[in-house]
Amino acid sequence: MKYSIFSLLRNAFSYHENWPAAWRSPDPRSAYDVVIVGGGGHGLATAYYLARNHRITNVAVLEKGWLGGGNTGRNTTIIRSNYLWDESAHLYEHALRLYEGLSRDLNYNIMLSQRGVLNLAHNLGDLRELSRRVNAIRLNGIDSEILNPAEIKAMVPILNTSPSSRYPVLGASLQRRGGTARHDAVAWGLARGADARGVDIIQNCEVTGIRHSGGAVEGVETTRGYIRTKKVGVVVAGHASVLAEMAGFRLPVESHPLQALVSEPIKPIHHCVVMSNAVHVYVSQSDKGELVIGAGIDAYHSYAQRGSLPVIEEQMGALIELFPIFSRLRMLRQWGGIVDVCPDASPIIGKTPVRNLYFNCGWGTGGFKATPGSGWVFAHTIAHDTPHPLNAAFTLERFTSGALIDEHGAAAVAH
Amino acid sequence: MNEQRFRLFAGGRIDRERAVRFDFDGERYTGFAGDTVASALLAHGVHLVGRSFKYHRPRGILSAGAEEPNALLQVGRGAYTLPNQRATQVELYAGLSATSQNRWPSLRFDAGAVSSLLSPLFPAGFYYKTFMWPPSFWLRHYEPLIRRAAGLGRSPTEPDPDRYEKMHVHCDVLVVGAGAAGLAAALSAGRTGARVMLADEQSEPGGWLLGSKTAIDDAPAVEWIASALEDLRSMPEVRVLPRTTVTGYYDHNYLVALERVGDHLPPGTGGARPRQRLWKIRARQVVLATGAHERPLVFRNNDRPGIMLAGAARQYVNRYAVRPGESAVVVTNNDSAYPAAIDLSDCGMQVHIVDVRSRPPEAMAAAARQRSIEIFAGHALVAAHGHARVREVTLASLDAARTGYTGTPRRLSCDLVAMSGGLNPAVHLFSQSRGRIVYSPERGCFVPGESVQAERSAGAANGTFPLAYCLSEGREAGKAAAAAAGFRKRGGLRSPKVEGEREQPAEAWWISPPSRAGAPLNKHFVDFQNDVSAADIALAAREGYRSVEHVKRYTTTGMGTDQGKTSNTNAIAIISQTLGVDPSQVGVTTFRPPYTPLTFGALAGRDIGELADPVRTTPMHDWHLAHGAAFEDVGQWKRPWYYPAAGESMQDAVDRECLAARNAIGILDATTLGKIDIQGADAAEFLDRIYTNGFRKLAPGRCRYGLMCGEDGMVFDDGVTARLADRHFLMSTTTGGAARVLAWLEEWSQTEWPELEVYFNSVTEQYAVASISGPFARALLEELATGIDLGPEALPFMSWGEGRVAGIPARIVRVSFTGESSFEINVPSDYGLYLWTTLMRAGARYGITPFGTEAMHVLRAEKGFIIAGQDTDGTVTPDDLGLGRMVSRHKDFIGKRSLARPDCRRADRKQLVGLLTEDPQTVLPEGAQIVDRVLPRPPMKMIGHVTSSYFSANLGRSIALALLRGGRERHGERVVLPLPKRRVAATVTAPVFYDEQGERLRA
């Protein structure tokens, strides 16, 4: 059933008792052309675009828990494409463009809210870096601009721009097309779209082994039986290294907890996304009224989807530095996800040492904003057994060739 | 004037001697000390206190505690205002001002309630199905509409005037909750001599006992509480913290509690005390005696004001001496509502009982009937009626299948419905500790399973509800916890005597069937705050959102400020009914910290404002201040950026400083550079592995510039290291990189090369450093130095010596970042200012000029010296910088293997070059990109960028450093840089603009 104001009206008369399921809950079949491991946003997007762009519909998405329950359901929902390097900028911009049409493409409102993303600069080094980034982003054809403190104040009046604060705000970059989207809706809309095109989404089905012989993949062992398949795409974020081990190789990936939290809902007072690296916190306000707040990863490695308190304490100190009026508000809920981080902070999307086994991982803290773009290029890679031009650089081999895409930046501070 | 018409004449834990005035929505009221805002409003007969989030339905007071979903108020004025405060927990103080939320223009007439009329259009998740056309409308029209409806209370708009503190504490046994079980646990643990902490959320310990008429040891329970507290206070190792909520249970028995030190006092009157204190507790053992929350029953219009939990009604009667109405219908599936009915009757209300069970508990029923309470057994509430207050209910006899009704429904008028759907143990902290909770079919609730951490649950938190068992279980838990922490005491505690309670089993009953088959359940509310009805939950399940997490996220049940304390179990039960599976198979959503919302300010503590991050200044800082320096933040340090003289622009000042350093003497405060003292038998070997170049053969007395790389072969810091003795080095790092470099050295030493004997110490703050540069620097120093030969033979470039300068013991290092003959004078910090002022005085005749970081940057750029982190960005190899000669071929070092990768050896890597603009007066902006071909509009292919760019007064023109693809092969080529409004052409050169042979710095 197509979703629209008319179908809502029609269903109102039958007390909404005739809405069909957004997706089926099929039992796994014994064989598929392609098996996608991981029913998060990226996995579902991969399945969706395999069906939509490549007409490959004999596909199963295997999810060990509930779909969208990993980092897709745990992030701070920020979307932006203001990346420094060409390769990243093009990939994230492709994702942002897809996001801009995704609600209508999926017939599912993902509530993309392009109210702008501000990245603050607090010292001369930050300003220099900001100017470099904005120049590069613009020359890549992506919207980006620099604001001075007065312009920042006009845009975010509640931000502390006092020159006497510990690390005063000296400037900011602004991507007006950046913003947020409703994270669950992205997963659900993609699931509904993939299901409608024939993809089997199988929840509560954990992959326990990857069978291959003669260097090529044959199938996957799961908690619901063995499934034969010609191709396997693995998109499991924090557990990528675990799946790689099953297939017999290692990934240059570290898994860390990344925490986020929300405040109690308050009447809207903060309309864009504000991010700061030097006073480390980022914050937006959801359409429900909650402030959604995040910062850096927990330093230690972990697969447990929870973090430690000191990280939150530092984050709150930073928040109140930037927004002194938020001090009396309260944290309603804190949680953690597990992010898989590559040494160069860029993802791995492509082929592996095992033939017909493909990995899409290493998104670190940047996964959500890439979701449709990631699925688009990964589907292409699986369908053609060769990367899409947009992910050609994001190979596993770059760690042996040295062609890294280092998005950390040295972030060092000058003499 | 409003009167407390519903205040009972006697009883309660309120202080009738202390009347407290407050206002709510502009009306003035009076309560008593000991009241909450909720109890004081109820004493005036005020039940309507808020509007729901989605449909703006009128809402009353549901509970008497932390689980409250409805009665959320904006409390306090101006900078002190607080949104979303639970009226059931806010203690009354004089002058308290509260307003209702989420309504306009007033609570009674709320325009937002129009959404209630349209509610058939707004089922769960409706927004995912619409607002998609036309595309441009979403951001401009639809979303603003949704955002206007968002949120409940309002954020303060001024900075927080209050202060927050943190406490760190260890204890042997932490008891959470001071109800019957918690007090018993604290008593038995305390008498072993263990360090016990007892934290309780409420203003007064006692928990549910405060709201009951139960007798312990033949006396009112409050007397037992008082004597228990007296015993605890006599134990020196026991600490009792009232108004303290344990909100988080983290790994390794680390718990966090929030003490509300001053929230019960009028704002701004707490004096020196903080508003709240965050306790960070490391407990050997934990006893969770967190009690239970009562479940609402789900029937049509079960959200009307005047409908509250039975246990809460009892609290209001017994603890607050408030009669919550005139006429009550008590509806239940278990025994606990009977004492509530009796208490309500005893305070003068007319009471009916509706028990869904066909056989009510005999003794209790008899006691009720004695008071002329009519009991409708085997009945359920079909619906409540009334708008701003319940005024009537419909009840009917349940059929045998219990999915419909038989006989004629009856109507009862009432102004209070007290409901009890059974108890949910407060398993939040247990679950946070990673313990798995399990569904108990016999008790119809989730209870703690096996412990994962050093913890045990006791009493109602453990699913043990009768008082006698709570007391004994608490006592045993306290004793066992103390024993596990190593504290034992022989001899048992006497068990207090409690009236026996034999309970009839509760019936697993969650939701009243609709009045006729097939009628919608869209007013059968499950989550009150977010207006989630049973129909919404069924809709979610029907649409495929079947995991409990999907239901939660799709319907928003349990996502309100109460995090589903009253709704989660009902929601799970309804999902299980809809899907036809057992509740245990539905599972639960994850309990996350905090148990109740935690103030941001308390989490930040004192680390805000001027204490946000320590400001580091050098011993010469006051001099810089007095001489008008402008400062730059570099890491935590304040460094002089430039010293403008009267009437000078920044460029004027920098030009003057640069000229002085090349033509007279420039003096720089170089104290902030990181200094790491490295000692040990293997110190040289260690440095050899850290730096790309060799240090083993460096002779004592000499210095060497070193580059360090990450494992990826990319430059990550640089600096000069001096060999002080055979086993003793002094490393210098960048100012901002000092801490990171020290951590890096420690990591490699501790985790990778523990066999090397080497030790590190940060000595950055131990030495003050003045660096003098320029043609007269040696002459000046010779005037002041004793015991050291400063001649170029005795103290050549890249060596150090010791002597005295102005009588102060000093280490003089011949390094240069300016390219001039330089002397870096290190003295103990305390002498820093004296050294500086002495140099300034003696240098006056040479024209000594202090210069800041900006001039330093210009001078070093003239020489092509890099700044790690400015001219590098983590993607630059030593060779890219033209420093390939510093990469040893004879030894291993961090990053060596990576540098052998093919990409690191490409000829067209980005390499450091100089840029000279065609117009010498044009200064390129740093961060400008170089493109291979300028096009009318982006995208354009970028081949490099400007890393450093200045106007050089010494050269009389602009200079820039850049990283450029294949740059070393491009010297002499012309490149173009498109800027937002213009383009600039420049010629590529070698990255050295001045004294290429380095004769000046060696002089």
Side-chain angles (χ1 to χ4, degrees), chain B residues 705 707 714-718 864-868 870-873 876-885 909-913 947 962-963 968 991:
Chain B
Y705 173 68
L707 279 178
M714 303 300 154
V715 172
F716 116 98
D717 206 84
D718 67 346
F865 293 151
I866 61 143
I867 293 180
Q870 175 168 341
D871 302 297
T872 71
D873 60 4
V876 180
T877 67
D879 188 59
D880 296 342
L881 296 169
L883 299 173
R885 63 181 187 282
R909 287 184 62 83
K910 286 184 183 164
Q911 292 152 345
L912 188 74
V913 296
T947 59
L963 286 166
R968 270 204 290 279

mmCIF file of all heavy atoms in Angstrom, chain B residues 705 707 714-718 864-868 870-873 876-885 909-913 947 962-963 968 991:
data_model
loop_
_atom_site.group_PDB
_atom_site.id
_atom_site.type_symbol
_atom_site.label_atom_id
_atom_site.label_comp_id
_atom_site.label_asym_id
_atom_site.label_seq_id
_atom_site.Cartn_x
_atom_site.Cartn_y
_atom_site.Cartn_z
ATOM 1 N N TYR B 705 68.083 17.364 15.635
ATOM 2 C CA TYR B 705 66.671 17.533 15.256
ATOM 3 C C TYR B 705 66.139 16.170 14.831
ATOM 4 O O TYR B 705 66.783 15.456 14.058
ATOM 5 C CB TYR B 705 66.574 18.538 14.108
ATOM 6 C CG TYR B 705 65.194 18.682 13.495
ATOM 7 C CD1 TYR B 705 64.148 19.259 14.219
ATOM 8 C CD2 TYR B 705 64.932 18.233 12.207
ATOM 9 C CE1 TYR B 705 62.889 19.394 13.649
ATOM 10 C CE2 TYR B 705 63.671 18.366 11.628
ATOM 11 C CZ TYR B 705 62.649 18.945 12.367
ATOM 12 O OH TYR B 705 61.404 19.074 11.818
ATOM 13 N N LEU B 707 62.683 13.596 13.652
ATOM 14 C CA LEU B 707 61.309 13.493 13.162
ATOM 15 C C LEU B 707 60.738 12.202 13.707
ATOM 16 O O LEU B 707 61.414 11.169 13.667
ATOM 17 C CB LEU B 707 61.290 13.393 11.636
ATOM 18 C CG LEU B 707 61.413 14.647 10.798
ATOM 19 C CD1 LEU B 707 61.418 14.243 9.327
ATOM 20 C CD2 LEU B 707 60.263 15.607 11.079
ATOM 21 N N MET B 714 53.797 8.463 8.618
ATOM 22 C CA MET B 714 53.519 9.887 8.429
ATOM 23 C C MET B 714 54.073 10.683 9.620
ATOM 24 O O MET B 714 53.965 10.252 10.767
ATOM 25 C CB MET B 714 52.010 10.115 8.302
ATOM 26 C CG MET B 714 51.375 9.310 7.176
ATOM 27 S SD MET B 714 52.083 9.709 5.559
ATOM 28 C CE MET B 714 51.794 8.185 4.661
ATOM 29 N N VAL B 715 54.648 11.855 9.312
ATOM 30 C CA VAL B 715 55.251 12.684 10.356
ATOM 31 C C VAL B 715 54.192 13.064 11.384
ATOM 32 O O VAL B 715 53.104 13.494 11.018
ATOM 33 C CB VAL B 715 55.866 13.953 9.736
ATOM 34 C CG1 VAL B 715 56.331 14.909 10.833
ATOM 35 C CG2 VAL B 715 57.010 13.579 8.819
ATOM 36 N N PHE B 716 54.520 12.865 12.667
ATOM 37 C CA PHE B 716 53.519 13.261 13.635
ATOM 38 C C PHE B 716 54.026 14.246 14.670
ATOM 39 O O PHE B 716 53.250 14.992 15.230
ATOM 40 C CB PHE B 716 52.812 12.011 14.186
ATOM 41 C CG PHE B 716 52.969 11.711 15.640
ATOM 42 C CD1 PHE B 716 51.972 12.100 16.536
ATOM 43 C CD2 PHE B 716 54.070 11.012 16.100
ATOM 44 C CE1 PHE B 716 52.096 11.785 17.873
ATOM 45 C CE2 PHE B 716 54.184 10.700 17.434
ATOM 46 C CZ PHE B 716 53.202 11.092 18.330
ATOM 47 N N ASP B 717 55.338 14.317 14.873
ATOM 48 C CA ASP B 717 55.864 15.413 15.698
ATOM 49 C C ASP B 717 57.345 15.554 15.376
ATOM 50 O O ASP B 717 57.946 14.686 14.749
ATOM 51 C CB ASP B 717 55.658 15.142 17.197
ATOM 52 C CG ASP B 717 55.585 16.447 18.005
ATOM 53 O OD1 ASP B 717 54.487 17.033 18.063
ATOM 54 O OD2 ASP B 717 56.628 16.900 18.540
ATOM 55 N N ASP B 718 57.901 16.673 15.784
ATOM 56 C CA ASP B 718 59.331 16.882 15.575
ATOM 57 C C ASP B 718 59.869 17.699 16.720
ATOM 58 O O ASP B 718 59.120 18.186 17.557
ATOM 59 C CB ASP B 718 59.588 17.580 14.225
ATOM 60 C CG ASP B 718 59.059 19.023 14.191
ATOM 61 O OD1 ASP B 718 58.272 19.397 15.094
ATOM 62 O OD2 ASP B 718 59.428 19.765 13.270
ATOM 63 N N GLY B 864 61.951 27.986 5.585
ATOM 64 C CA GLY B 864 61.361 26.719 5.139
ATOM 65 C C GLY B 864 61.326 25.658 6.215
ATOM 66 O O GLY B 864 61.222 24.472 5.914
ATOM 67 N N PHE B 865 61.429 26.067 7.471
ATOM 68 C CA PHE B 865 61.279 25.098 8.559
ATOM 69 C C PHE B 865 59.787 24.790 8.732
ATOM 70 O O PHE B 865 58.971 25.704 8.796
ATOM 71 C CB PHE B 865 61.813 25.659 9.886
ATOM 72 C CG PHE B 865 63.298 25.878 9.898
ATOM 73 C CD1 PHE B 865 63.856 26.878 10.690
ATOM 74 C CD2 PHE B 865 64.153 25.088 9.126
ATOM 75 C CE1 PHE B 865 65.224 27.089 10.719
ATOM 76 C CE2 PHE B 865 65.530 25.295 9.155
ATOM 77 C CZ PHE B 865 66.068 26.302 9.944
ATOM 78 N N ILE B 866 59.469 23.518 8.874
ATOM 79 C CA ILE B 866 58.048 23.161 8.966
ATOM 80 C C ILE B 866 57.514 23.303 10.393
ATOM 81 O O ILE B 866 58.269 23.326 11.364
ATOM 82 C CB ILE B 866 57.792 21.704 8.517
ATOM 83 C CG1 ILE B 866 58.562 20.730 9.420
ATOM 84 C CG2 ILE B 866 58.125 21.521 7.065
ATOM 85 C CD1 ILE B 866 57.814 19.460 9.702
ATOM 86 N N ILE B 867 56.216 23.397 10.480
ATOM 87 C CA ILE B 867 55.530 23.231 11.761
ATOM 88 C C ILE B 867 54.710 21.963 11.640
ATOM 89 O O ILE B 867 53.833 21.862 10.767
ATOM 90 C CB ILE B 867 54.620 24.434 12.066
ATOM 91 C CG1 ILE B 867 55.465 25.673 12.306
ATOM 92 C CG2 ILE B 867 53.740 24.136 13.270
ATOM 93 C CD1 ILE B 867 54.660 26.912 12.609
ATOM 94 N N ALA B 868 55.017 21.003 12.500
ATOM 95 C CA ALA B 868 54.244 19.758 12.476
ATOM 96 C C ALA B 868 52.816 20.095 12.878
ATOM 97 O O ALA B 868 52.575 20.740 13.892
ATOM 98 C CB ALA B 868 54.841 18.729 13.442
ATOM 99 N N GLN B 870 50.876 21.944 10.991
ATOM 100 C CA GLN B 870 50.440 23.012 10.091
ATOM 101 C C GLN B 870 50.878 22.701 8.659
ATOM 102 O O GLN B 870 50.057 22.714 7.746
ATOM 103 C CB GLN B 870 50.989 24.370 10.539
ATOM 104 C CG GLN B 870 50.645 25.482 9.548
ATOM 105 C CD GLN B 870 50.914 26.873 10.104
ATOM 106 O OE1 GLN B 870 51.028 27.054 11.311
ATOM 107 N NE2 GLN B 870 51.002 27.850 9.222
ATOM 108 N N ASP B 871 52.160 22.409 8.521
ATOM 109 C CA ASP B 871 52.638 22.025 7.189
ATOM 110 C C ASP B 871 52.522 20.516 6.982
ATOM 111 O O ASP B 871 52.791 20.017 5.906
ATOM 112 C CB ASP B 871 54.083 22.503 7.010
ATOM 113 C CG ASP B 871 54.185 24.008 7.194
ATOM 114 O OD1 ASP B 871 53.582 24.738 6.392
ATOM 115 O OD2 ASP B 871 54.818 24.452 8.180
ATOM 116 N N THR B 872 52.149 19.820 8.035
ATOM 117 C CA THR B 872 51.846 18.398 7.902
ATOM 118 C C THR B 872 50.430 18.178 8.404
ATOM 119 O O THR B 872 49.915 18.972 9.177
ATOM 120 C CB THR B 872 52.790 17.518 8.737
ATOM 121 O OG1 THR B 872 52.477 17.705 10.121
ATOM 122 C CG2 THR B 872 54.246 17.861 8.489
ATOM 123 N N ASP B 873 49.804 17.088 7.949
ATOM 124 C CA ASP B 873 48.437 16.817 8.376
ATOM 125 C C ASP B 873 48.202 15.320 8.553
ATOM 126 O O ASP B 873 47.096 14.836 8.413
ATOM 127 C CB ASP B 873 47.436 17.376 7.360
ATOM 128 C CG ASP B 873 47.621 16.760 5.987
ATOM 129 O OD1 ASP B 873 48.461 15.854 5.853
ATOM 130 O OD2 ASP B 873 46.915 17.185 5.054
ATOM 131 N N VAL B 876 51.787 13.174 5.470
ATOM 132 C CA VAL B 876 53.025 13.683 4.899
ATOM 133 C C VAL B 876 54.213 12.870 5.430
ATOM 134 O O VAL B 876 54.381 12.743 6.645
ATOM 135 C CB VAL B 876 53.194 15.179 5.267
ATOM 136 C CG1 VAL B 876 54.473 15.731 4.675
ATOM 137 C CG2 VAL B 876 51.989 15.980 4.794
ATOM 138 N N THR B 877 54.994 12.327 4.523
ATOM 139 C CA THR B 877 56.174 11.553 4.941
ATOM 140 C C THR B 877 57.362 12.490 5.094
ATOM 141 O O THR B 877 57.345 13.623 4.580
ATOM 142 C CB THR B 877 56.533 10.495 3.889
ATOM 143 O OG1 THR B 877 56.971 11.174 2.700
ATOM 144 C CG2 THR B 877 55.342 9.606 3.546
ATOM 145 N N PRO B 878 58.421 12.027 5.744
ATOM 146 C CA PRO B 878 59.627 12.881 5.827
ATOM 147 C C PRO B 878 60.115 13.284 4.445
ATOM 148 O O PRO B 878 60.488 14.431 4.223
ATOM 149 C CB PRO B 878 60.637 11.979 6.539
ATOM 150 C CG PRO B 878 59.802 11.058 7.374
ATOM 151 C CD PRO B 878 58.552 10.806 6.561
ATOM 152 N N ASP B 879 60.061 12.345 3.519
ATOM 153 C CA ASP B 879 60.543 12.663 2.172
ATOM 154 C C ASP B 879 59.680 13.734 1.511
ATOM 155 O O ASP B 879 60.182 14.578 0.776
ATOM 156 C CB ASP B 879 60.567 11.393 1.321
ATOM 157 C CG ASP B 879 61.238 11.651 -0.019
ATOM 158 O OD1 ASP B 879 62.416 12.053 -0.010
ATOM 159 O OD2 ASP B 879 60.558 11.502 -1.052
ATOM 160 N N ASP B 880 58.382 13.704 1.751
ATOM 161 C CA ASP B 880 57.492 14.724 1.192
ATOM 162 C C ASP B 880 57.928 16.118 1.627
ATOM 163 O O ASP B 880 57.695 17.104 0.931
ATOM 164 C CB ASP B 880 56.044 14.504 1.647
ATOM 165 C CG ASP B 880 55.456 13.200 1.132
ATOM 166 O OD1 ASP B 880 56.012 12.641 0.167
ATOM 167 O OD2 ASP B 880 54.452 12.743 1.703
ATOM 168 N N LEU B 881 58.526 16.196 2.804
ATOM 169 C CA LEU B 881 58.962 17.485 3.338
ATOM 170 C C LEU B 881 60.360 17.841 2.848
ATOM 171 O O LEU B 881 60.910 18.853 3.245
ATOM 172 C CB LEU B 881 58.958 17.442 4.870
ATOM 173 C CG LEU B 881 57.584 17.234 5.502
ATOM 174 C CD1 LEU B 881 57.733 16.942 6.988
ATOM 175 C CD2 LEU B 881 56.715 18.475 5.294
ATOM 176 N N GLY B 882 60.928 16.965 2.034
ATOM 177 C CA GLY B 882 62.303 17.195 1.611
ATOM 178 C C GLY B 882 63.291 16.784 2.683
ATOM 179 O O GLY B 882 64.443 17.204 2.680
ATOM 180 N N LEU B 883 62.857 15.988 3.636
ATOM 181 C CA LEU B 883 63.718 15.583 4.740
ATOM 182 C C LEU B 883 64.061 14.098 4.647
ATOM 183 O O LEU B 883 64.300 13.430 5.637
ATOM 184 C CB LEU B 883 63.030 15.889 6.078
ATOM 185 C CG LEU B 883 62.722 17.381 6.322
ATOM 186 C CD1 LEU B 883 61.905 17.569 7.586
ATOM 187 C CD2 LEU B 883 64.024 18.177 6.405
ATOM 188 N N GLY B 884 64.044 13.583 3.418
ATOM 189 C CA GLY B 884 64.331 12.171 3.220
ATOM 190 C C GLY B 884 65.689 11.763 3.790
ATOM 191 O O GLY B 884 65.876 10.643 4.237
ATOM 192 N N ARG B 885 66.604 12.723 3.818
ATOM 193 C CA ARG B 885 67.943 12.403 4.340
ATOM 194 C C ARG B 885 67.903 12.059 5.827
ATOM 195 O O ARG B 885 68.837 11.506 6.383
ATOM 196 C CB ARG B 885 68.888 13.577 4.091
ATOM 197 C CG ARG B 885 68.466 14.842 4.821
ATOM 198 C CD ARG B 885 69.373 16.030 4.579
ATOM 199 N NE ARG B 885 68.983 17.133 5.456
ATOM 200 C CZ ARG B 885 67.927 17.945 5.225
ATOM 201 N NH1 ARG B 885 67.191 17.770 4.134
ATOM 202 N NH2 ARG B 885 67.635 18.902 6.082
ATOM 203 N N ARG B 909 53.793 12.286 -5.238
ATOM 204 C CA ARG B 909 53.172 12.595 -3.948
ATOM 205 C C ARG B 909 53.149 14.111 -3.737
ATOM 206 O O ARG B 909 53.875 14.853 -4.406
ATOM 207 C CB ARG B 909 53.967 11.939 -2.814
ATOM 208 C CG ARG B 909 53.786 10.429 -2.734
ATOM 209 C CD ARG B 909 54.523 9.883 -1.532
ATOM 210 N NE ARG B 909 53.994 10.423 -0.273
ATOM 211 C CZ ARG B 909 52.928 9.943 0.353
ATOM 212 N NH1 ARG B 909 52.284 8.909 -0.144
ATOM 213 N NH2 ARG B 909 52.507 10.489 1.480
ATOM 214 N N LYS B 910 52.327 14.524 -2.796
ATOM 215 C CA LYS B 910 52.325 15.962 -2.490
ATOM 216 C C LYS B 910 53.590 16.282 -1.705
ATOM 217 O O LYS B 910 53.871 15.645 -0.697
ATOM 218 C CB LYS B 910 51.078 16.330 -1.677
ATOM 219 C CG LYS B 910 49.825 16.330 -2.537
ATOM 220 C CD LYS B 910 48.608 16.771 -1.773
ATOM 221 C CE LYS B 910 47.385 16.675 -2.672
ATOM 222 N NZ LYS B 910 46.132 16.729 -1.902
ATOM 223 N N GLN B 911 54.326 17.261 -2.216
ATOM 224 C CA GLN B 911 55.618 17.598 -1.604
ATOM 225 C C GLN B 911 55.655 19.073 -1.230
ATOM 226 O O GLN B 911 54.981 19.898 -1.851
ATOM 227 C CB GLN B 911 56.748 17.270 -2.601
ATOM 228 C CG GLN B 911 56.883 15.776 -2.812
ATOM 229 C CD GLN B 911 57.444 15.424 -4.172
ATOM 230 O OE1 GLN B 911 57.498 16.253 -5.082
ATOM 231 N NE2 GLN B 911 57.855 14.173 -4.323
ATOM 232 N N LEU B 912 56.472 19.342 -0.231
ATOM 233 C CA LEU B 912 56.554 20.718 0.271
ATOM 234 C C LEU B 912 57.293 21.594 -0.739
ATOM 235 O O LEU B 912 58.395 21.266 -1.176
ATOM 236 C CB LEU B 912 57.284 20.752 1.615
ATOM 237 C CG LEU B 912 57.261 22.099 2.329
ATOM 238 C CD1 LEU B 912 55.867 22.365 2.918
ATOM 239 C CD2 LEU B 912 58.312 22.156 3.430
ATOM 240 N N VAL B 913 56.663 22.693 -1.096
ATOM 241 C CA VAL B 913 57.300 23.652 -2.001
ATOM 242 C C VAL B 913 57.102 25.068 -1.457
ATOM 243 O O VAL B 913 56.319 25.280 -0.528
ATOM 244 C CB VAL B 913 56.679 23.596 -3.423
ATOM 245 C CG1 VAL B 913 56.935 22.244 -4.068
ATOM 246 C CG2 VAL B 913 55.187 23.904 -3.381
ATOM 247 N N THR B 947 49.915 25.707 3.001
ATOM 248 C CA THR B 947 49.940 25.337 4.419
ATOM 249 C C THR B 947 50.324 26.517 5.302
ATOM 250 O O THR B 947 49.871 26.618 6.435
ATOM 251 C CB THR B 947 50.940 24.195 4.650
ATOM 252 O OG1 THR B 947 52.245 24.623 4.222
ATOM 253 C CG2 THR B 947 50.541 22.949 3.867
ATOM 254 N N ALA B 962 53.609 25.309 0.556
ATOM 255 C CA ALA B 962 52.457 24.550 0.090
ATOM 256 C C ALA B 962 52.843 23.104 -0.080
ATOM 257 O O ALA B 962 54.035 22.776 -0.216
ATOM 258 C CB ALA B 962 51.956 25.113 -1.237
ATOM 259 N N LEU B 963 51.850 22.261 -0.028
ATOM 260 C CA LEU B 963 52.042 20.872 -0.411
ATOM 261 C C LEU B 963 51.454 20.736 -1.809
ATOM 262 O O LEU B 963 50.292 21.084 -2.022
ATOM 263 C CB LEU B 963 51.340 19.932 0.570
ATOM 264 C CG LEU B 963 52.029 19.787 1.929
ATOM 265 C CD1 LEU B 963 51.098 19.121 2.940
ATOM 266 C CD2 LEU B 963 53.342 19.015 1.817
ATOM 267 N N ARG B 968 58.305 18.838 -6.180
ATOM 268 C CA ARG B 968 59.758 19.032 -6.334
ATOM 269 C C ARG B 968 60.171 19.132 -7.798
ATOM 270 O O ARG B 968 61.185 19.721 -8.123
ATOM 271 C CB ARG B 968 60.510 17.889 -5.648
ATOM 272 C CG ARG B 968 60.812 18.207 -4.191
ATOM 273 C CD ARG B 968 62.005 17.424 -3.665
ATOM 274 N NE ARG B 968 61.727 16.012 -3.517
ATOM 275 C CZ ARG B 968 61.092 15.479 -2.480
ATOM 276 N NH1 ARG B 968 60.656 16.258 -1.499
ATOM 277 N NH2 ARG B 968 60.880 14.199 -2.411
ATOM 278 N N PRO B 991 61.310 25.403 -1.016
ATOM 279 C CA PRO B 991 60.691 25.955 0.192
ATOM 280 C C PRO B 991 61.685 26.640 1.113
ATOM 281 O O PRO B 991 61.572 26.540 2.330
ATOM 282 C CB PRO B 991 60.070 24.716 0.840
ATOM 283 C CG PRO B 991 60.939 23.590 0.412
ATOM 284 C CD PRO B 991 61.475 23.945 -0.939
#
